[in-house]
Amino acid sequence: MGRFVEGEDRRQSFLLPETLDDYVTEDNPVRVVEVFIEELDLGAIGFEGVRPAATGRPAYHPSTLLKIYLYGYLNRIQSSRRLEREARRNIELMWLTGRLAPDFKTIANFRRDNGPAIRAACGQFIELCRRLNLFTKAIVAIDGSKFKAVNNRDKNFTLTKVAKRMEQVDASIARYLTTLDRADREESDIAEAKTRRIKDKIAGLRRQMQALKAMEQQVQDAPDKQVSLTDPDARSMATSGRGTGVVGYNVQTAVDAEHHLIVAHEVINLGHDRTQLAPMALKAQEAMGCEEVTALADRGYFNGEQVLACEGTGVLPCVPKTEWTSEGGFFSRHVFTYDAEKDHYICPAGQTLTKGIVRSDRKNDIDHYRHLTACFTCSLKPKCTPDKLKRLKRWRHEGVLEKMQARLEHRPDAMLIRRQTVEHPFGTLKSWMGSAHFLTKTLEKVRTEMSFHILAYNIKRMIRIFGVGPLLEAMRA
Ligand code: SF4
């Protein structure tokens, strides 16, 4: 075996005792976990069991269990059973916990019982980044992505899915009945056995049909016409791929454009992003502690009410509007120029369209602009409107959308920055989570699980920015 690097004999005893600390280098990320958790006031952010009970078996301090979990999420070990195993054999974890190895039930119960506190700990890390003056640019990119839940697609029911399955069962019953007819006409022992088998199958399918009918009623009664059996909060959601979808959750993140840290996140079970612009942007603004924050988001977030909700809060949303389309070959809206001072539009024929007296929509929110005479004799009318008179609609708060459009025109690279900032973290998070994504069930627990992932992501990002040594110093300062 000469000329090879050789290991030590396993029966050789060490002459000097070695300490666990010798195995953990100064630039090991596990030291960041240790310092971050030691610096937290766990009781103040809501962890249970910070003070030991006077009676009963001594419990583990929450910091031990939080360290185990955070280490696990940093190293893609999310399951409590695997963490229990690692705590017994992994030198870094032994160093972190002082060789404590709680059983998997204790580890799992800690995550189950401390959801809000774990989410607060995630917020504390952003607070630390804020103290280190990392959010000077005050630009965030907001986006959402669908993550798979524990719920299998076959255990999720919508009215369409139930109808489709009923159709399939009906077709199968019809097929078996035809076969049964044929078998009945034959007279032999084999035919008899076959008939019995087919009858059993038909009975099974009828039972299935009954169950589907009961499920149809359940889906009808559900507020959002959807039922998931394994994880009741998971919802069927369409994804960007054509004809594809997942049963899962919509994870919203706001990522800072300078250092790509996830400053705010939320897990929801709605399949769209339309109502998330203001909540996410305001959350990010609070986390970053900036008076004014520019929030970049894609078209999926475009919603007048949401943009209006940001008005006056210091959040400056930049969301592109859906393309102006010229419907049926008629003039599109952008060829009509609005004069805010005089509150009228100038049409392509140079006529002034003034505001009608009454608003006709149900919410009393939409004004109409028209010219009472010019359209009747206008040569451009065939290109302008199929009606007798052109009526241009304008939302009462259209001004906020126009201001946002002006901001977007002022910042032509906004959507490029958005894409470069926010899409990468989702890819990273999904690859860490593996093909199954979430391991826990129900919205509350999934939120806690996501907080751990985000905290781990942010810690890795900070190590990348600072390096372990300088980050430790900054945390202790
Ligand atoms: S049809 Fe009416 S609104 Fe359209 S271009 Fe002619 S005058 Fe203007």
Side-chain angles (χ1 to χ4, degrees):
M1 287 288 283
R3 297 285 308 129
F4 281 112
V5 180
E6 285 186 31
E8 287 174 5
D9 185 341
R10 23 179 99 90
R11 283 157 302 182
Q12 170 75 53
S13 0
F14 292 112
L15 292 177
L16 291 168
E18 296 196 42
T19 64
L20 271 177
D21 206 41
D22 292 338
Y23 289 98
V24 177
T25 55
E26 287 304 315
D27 60 351
N28 192 320
V30 81
R31 291 187 183 269
V32 176
V33 175
E34 166 77 12
V35 173
F36 171 62
I37 293 174
E38 286 305 317
E39 295 288 315
L40 285 179
D41 184 349
L42 296 181
I45 58 174
F47 279 96
E48 288 175 8
V50 176
R51 292 188 191 292
T55 53
R57 206 170 144 224
Y60 290 101
H61 193 273
S63 70
T64 306
L65 295 156
L66 187 58
K67 283 175 193 173
I68 294 177
Y69 261 122
L70 192 46
Y71 178 85
Y73 278 83
L74 275 166
N75 292 283
R76 304 194 207 176
I77 313 163
Q78 293 103 342
S79 104
S80 50
R81 284 174 198 266
R82 283 185 61 208
L83 282 170
E84 177 190 348
R85 246 188 340 261
E86 288 302 315
R88 294 179 204 281
R89 67 182 183 192
N90 183 321
I91 295 247
E92 289 175 343
L93 253 183
M94 285 181 190
W95 177 89
L96 202 53
T97 60
R99 298 190 67 188
L100 291 175
D103 65 287
F104 75 90
K105 203 108 189 72
T106 312
I107 299 176
N109 287 351
F110 171 78
R111 184 171 59 185
R112 188 197 61 197
D113 299 337
N114 290 284
I118 290 168
R119 294 201 283 277
C122 179
Q124 290 290 307
F125 194 75
I126 290 300
E127 170 89 35
L128 170 80
C129 302
R130 189 169 92 182
R131 285 206 308 272
L132 298 174
N133 278 333
L134 291 179
F135 305 131
T136 48
K137 248 186 173 178
I139 300 177
V140 287
I142 296 171
D143 202 3
S145 185
K146 316 290 180 338
F147 285 63
K148 276 182 249 167
V150 178
N151 206 100
N152 189 288
R153 281 166 79 134
D154 293 340
K155 299 267 180 187
N156 170 269
F157 298 89
T158 60
L159 286 174
T160 328
K161 281 184 188 175
V162 173
K164 213 170 168 186
R165 281 183 212 173
M166 279 174 149
E167 218 175 89
Q168 285 165 353
V169 173
D170 256 343
S172 300
I173 291 177
R175 218 173 36 247
Y176 278 122
L177 283 175
T178 319
T179 325
L180 188 65
D181 261 358
R182 257 201 317 270
D184 274 348
R185 270 180 251 125
E186 294 168 24
E187 277 184 20
S188 69
D189 287 351
I190 300 172
E192 222 171 90
K194 196 175 170 188
T195 309
R196 247 195 330 271
R197 218 175 48 242
I198 294 171
K199 277 184 178 164
D200 284 349
K201 293 237 167 146
I202 292 174
L205 284 167
R206 292 216 159 111
R207 277 197 301 276
Q208 223 175 306
M209 191 55 126
Q210 287 305 317
L212 282 170
K213 280 188 181 147
M215 179 52 73
E216 191 181 29
Q217 191 53 49
Q218 229 178 304
V219 175
Q220 277 287 8
D221 296 343
D224 58 349
K225 308 279 179 246
Q226 205 174 137
V227 171
S228 295
L229 294 181
T230 319
D231 177 351
D233 291 341
R235 287 291 171 265
S236 174
M237 296 173 184
T239 50
S240 49
R242 210 166 158 215
T244 60
V246 292
V247 176
Y249 293 92
N250 182 352
V251 177
Q252 296 284 316
T253 59
V255 182
D256 122 83
E258 199 174 357
H259 297 288
H260 296 196
L261 289 157
I262 301 174
V263 292
H265 75 277
E266 191 53 272
V267 183
I268 54 171
N269 56 1
L270 290 173
H272 60 81
D273 302 328
R274 283 191 303 279
T275 49
Q276 296 306 310
L277 179 67
M280 286 309 295
L282 291 168
K283 230 174 160 187
Q285 184 195 28
E286 193 191 339
M288 293 164 87
C290 303
E291 267 182 31
E292 210 165 72
V293 169
T294 304
L296 314 173
D298 65 16
R299 286 176 213 289
Y301 286 82
F302 190 91
N303 178 300
E305 300 293 342
Q306 290 291 309
V307 179
L308 184 64
C310 295
E311 190 71 3
T313 59
V315 171
L316 306 173
C318 287
V319 186
K321 198 169 181 162
T322 327
E323 292 296 331
W324 294 113
T325 50
S326 57
E327 280 172 33
F330 295 110
F331 287 145
S332 65
R333 194 185 167 85
H334 76 277
V335 298
F336 295 80
T337 320
Y338 182 66
D339 185 331
E341 230 171 77
K342 296 181 181 145
D343 189 19
H344 66 214
Y345 278 95
I346 304 293
C347 78
Q351 297 292 343
T352 306
L353 311 189
T354 52
K355 187 155 76 178
I357 298 154
V358 279
R359 293 195 181 116
S360 56
D361 67 307
R362 253 183 280 152
K363 282 165 82 186
N364 203 22
D365 254 2
I366 309 284
D367 284 309
H368 291 85
Y369 291 76
R370 78 281 181 259
H371 195 293
L372 290 173
T373 54
C375 297
F376 295 109
T377 53
C378 176
S379 60
L380 294 178
K381 196 178 157 223
K383 285 187 185 173
C384 189
T385 176
D387 304 328
K388 279 190 207 162
L389 198 72
K390 173 73 181 176
R391 283 181 197 279
L392 201 62
K393 289 178 184 174
R394 182 181 169 86
W395 182 40
R396 197 151 58 102
H397 306 288
E398 191 87 16
V400 296
L401 299 182
E402 284 165 353
K403 267 201 270 174
M404 184 168 80
Q405 189 58 31
R407 274 197 299 274
L408 266 168
E409 278 160 22
H410 187 68
R411 194 185 270 278
D413 58 347
M415 287 307 108
L416 182 69
I417 298 174
R418 184 204 74 79
R419 214 171 33 247
Q420 287 171 345
T421 306
V422 80
E423 289 183 359
H424 167 247
F426 279 131
T428 312
L429 286 169
K430 281 186 179 173
S431 89
W432 286 355
M433 292 166 100
S435 57
H437 295 173
F438 290 120
L439 301 178
T440 51
K441 293 177 213 163
T442 71
L443 190 55
E444 267 308 291
K445 290 182 191 157
V446 163
R447 280 182 173 148
T448 309
E449 199 183 339
M450 199 64 216
S451 290
F452 267 132
H453 281 295
I454 302 280
L455 179 55
Y457 177 88
N458 282 337
I459 289 180
K460 281 198 183 176
R461 221 25 246 146
M462 286 288 275
I463 292 175
R464 194 72 186 265
I465 298 165
F466 280 82
V468 172
L471 180 58
L472 289 175
E473 268 173 44
M475 284 164 99
R476 286 191 186 112

